[in-house]
Amino acid sequence: AAACVLDERGTAWLLDHGADPNRLADDRWSPLDVAASGAGWEDTGSPARFKRVARRLLSHGAELGAMAAVALGDAAWIRARVAQGTVAPPTSSDAFVGGRGLLSVAVWHNQPDMLALLLDLGFDPNERVRVAGTDEITYSAGGPLYCCVTGRHRHMAEMLLAAGADPNANVHTAGSALFRAYWMKERGLVELLEAHGGFL
């Protein structure tokens, strides 16, 4: 919880008092990956705080995971794990942390080089996945573009659109990137998405 909300003092205190930096939540997510996901961030200006929390966790023996490797721009780690088959594009939302996949995390952390790498490695620019935990078959898509609008990352939005991202894809319970751009009154991003076929 401390890592998730980027509580630097709380994370440091817990580690100094013997907390295990590799204990998994839900048998899946480490504190470092949860922090990298941005699930508990108060705003989009938190990457610098994340890096400080990440350094603290790593200095206490935290093992790097895919989310954190993307957030920290560790291209070699990602290339090696993709080659080994231990990191692959997800098919279900239960592979996401805080509703975000690896491309969305790259955008959230303003890592255009990492975004380009993931696209080159064949990751879906829409991050289309089946929503876990529902009786009906429901899909969510468009998270990376949605994050571009939220963070006002036009360059990465252009990268995603060039790679085939759908400006009309809908993030489950959140809506489309174009809807978000209108809501934020980001006229430039509205025009960009509409130029690529986006419509309300």
Side-chain angles (χ1 to χ4, degrees), residues 158-170:
E158 292 170 343
M159 291 169 61
L160 287 162
L161 291 165
D166 180 1
N168 297 307
N170 275 280

Side-chain angles (χ1 to χ4, degrees), residues 51-70:
K51 288 179 180 177
R52 293 194 295 271
V53 169
R55 282 196 296 269
R56 178 81 63 171
L57 288 163
L58 290 167
S59 72
H60 281 75
E63 297 175 3
L64 203 60
M67 285 272 179
V70 168

Side-chain angles (χ1 to χ4, degrees), residues 92-171:
S92 173
S93 65
D94 62 5
F96 287 2
V97 182
R100 296 192 183 96
L102 296 184
L103 275 75
S104 295
V105 168
V107 172
W108 207 241
H109 287 266
N110 195 17
Q111 293 276 10
D113 291 342
M114 186 58 69
L115 178 63
L117 171 61
L118 293 170
L119 292 170
D120 288 345
L121 291 171
F123 281 69
D124 177 9
N126 293 305
E127 283 189 336
R128 184 176 186 268
V129 292
R130 182 172 176 177
V131 177
T134 60
D135 292 333
E136 69 281 1
I137 296 176
T138 305
Y139 288 91
S140 180
L145 263 183
Y146 193 94
C147 286
C148 284
V149 173
T150 300
R152 298 179 172 87
H153 298 305
R154 181 186 177 97
H155 174 59
M156 286 188 282
E158 292 170 343
M159 291 169 61
L160 287 162
L161 291 165
D166 180 1
N168 297 307
N170 275 280
V171 178

Side-chain angles (χ1 to χ4, degrees), residues 32 50 66 168:
L32 186 53
F50 161 73
N168 297 307

